């Protein structure tokens, strides 16, 4: 069964450092998403991406965040200057349609900012 | 508003019994709803979905019911098994010039052997 792959599984970074979280969505999917989940809390929407541009973003997704699809297979989330409160699980997801379709999620990257 | 919330944070059931997990949503314009299951250390996993033009949809051992009048969604799991122990999220698919799915707070299901 096709999978969404995320790397690394765990990233520890110093506060103020830049991090890039990587995702390989399902190959024939056209819509891509990043979500985050602070420990024990709900899954929060960050951004959706379609046709090489951001489709929608949440209030969390401020100027410190950016997304990119650098080639035909990868989808990345960059946090420019990490804060302690950025510590969370970050999930990438993809779908074949924009609405009316369930998402396939990756296993996540646990980001720990120290 | 665009909130999706759950009535109970935890649910404990005996193995073999049926489970019912409830969810309330507030955006009457939403037209697509999904239930996701999240096991410890994993990402959310799609279980079943329903469009707003339906009241009920059945899958393998799972049924989703949608009551648009009271904006209520439920997930029924038949013959609950230990492997069903997880956190269950209802989610609401919104399109307002963009694409996103909003998750509810989650219900943790414990299955007692």
């Amino acid at each position: 069964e096709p999978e969404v792959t995320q790397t690394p599984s765990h990233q520890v970074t110093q506060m103020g450092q830049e991090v890039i979280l990587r995702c390989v969505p399902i190959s024939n999917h056209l819509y891509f998403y990043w979500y985050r989940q602070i420990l024990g809390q709900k899954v929060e929407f960050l951004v959706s991406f379609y046709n090489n541009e951001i489709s929608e973003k949440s209030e969390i997704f401020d100027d410190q965040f950016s997304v990119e699809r650098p080639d035909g297979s990868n989808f990345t989330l960059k946090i420019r200057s990490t804060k302690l409160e950025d510590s969370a699980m970050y999930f990438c997801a993809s779908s074949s349609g924009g609405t009316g379709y369930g998402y396939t999620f990756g296993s996540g990257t646990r980001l720990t900012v120290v | 508003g665009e909130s999706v919330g759950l009535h109970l944070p935890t649910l404990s059931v005996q193995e073999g019994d049926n489970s019912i997990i409830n969810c309330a949503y507030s955006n009457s314009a939403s037209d697509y709803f999904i239930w996701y299951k999240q096991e410890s250390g994993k990402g959310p996993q799609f279980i079943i979905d329903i469009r707003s033009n339906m009241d009920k949809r059945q899958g393998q051992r799972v049924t989703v019911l949608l009551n648009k009048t009271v904006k209520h969604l439920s997930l029924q799991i038949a013959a609950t098994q230990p492997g069903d122990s997880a956190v269950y999220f209802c989610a609401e698919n919104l399109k307002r010039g963009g694409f996103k799915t909003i998750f509810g707070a989650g219900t943790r299901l414990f299955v007692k052997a």
Side-chain angles (χ1 to χ4, degrees), chain A residues 31 33 35 37 40-45 47-50 55-58 89 91 97-108 110, chain B residues 2-4 31-32 34 36 38 41-46 49 51 87 89 93-106 108:
Chain A
Y31 298 80
Y33 314 87
Y35 282 77
Q37 185 178 34
Q41 299 187 23
K42 68 178 181 181
V43 180
E44 298 177 292
F45 171 79
V47 66
S48 59
F49 190 87
Y50 169 70
S55 179
E56 189 151 353
K57 59 184 180 180
S58 71
M89 282 290 288
F91 292 106
T99 58
Y101 293 82
Y103 299 171
T104 302
F105 283 82
S107 295
R110 179 172 297 284
Chain B
E2 53 174 62
S3 65
V4 180
D31 62 358
Y32 178 64
I34 316 102
Y36 286 93
Q38 187 178 29
K42 296 184 179 179
Q45 177 187 6
F46 174 92
D49 59 2
R51 299 182 193 277
V87 177
F89 294 95
N93 199 202
L94 305 176
K95 178 182 183 297
R96 296 186 321 269
F99 309 105
K100 68 179 182 182
T101 291
I102 300 298
F103 280 70
R108 183 173 295 280

Side-chain angles (χ1 to χ4, degrees), chain A residues 8 10-15 17 19 82 109-114:
Chain A
H10 192 186
Q11 172 104 36
V12 181
T13 189
Q14 296 261 340
M15 190 169 54
Q17 294 295 306
V19 295
T82 49
T109 293
R110 179 172 297 284
L111 177 65
T112 303
V113 182
V114 296

Side-chain angles (χ1 to χ4, degrees), chain A residues 42-73:
Chain A
K42 68 178 181 181
V43 180
E44 298 177 292
F45 171 79
L46 292 179
V47 66
S48 59
F49 190 87
Y50 169 70
N51 200 26
N52 282 321
E53 61 183 21
I54 289 174
S55 179
E56 189 151 353
K57 59 184 180 180
S58 71
E59 306 161 342
I60 303 168
F61 195 89
D62 61 20
D63 292 344
Q64 293 300 311
F65 291 85
S66 63
V67 289
E68 193 177 28
R69 187 152 164 85
D71 52 44
S73 60

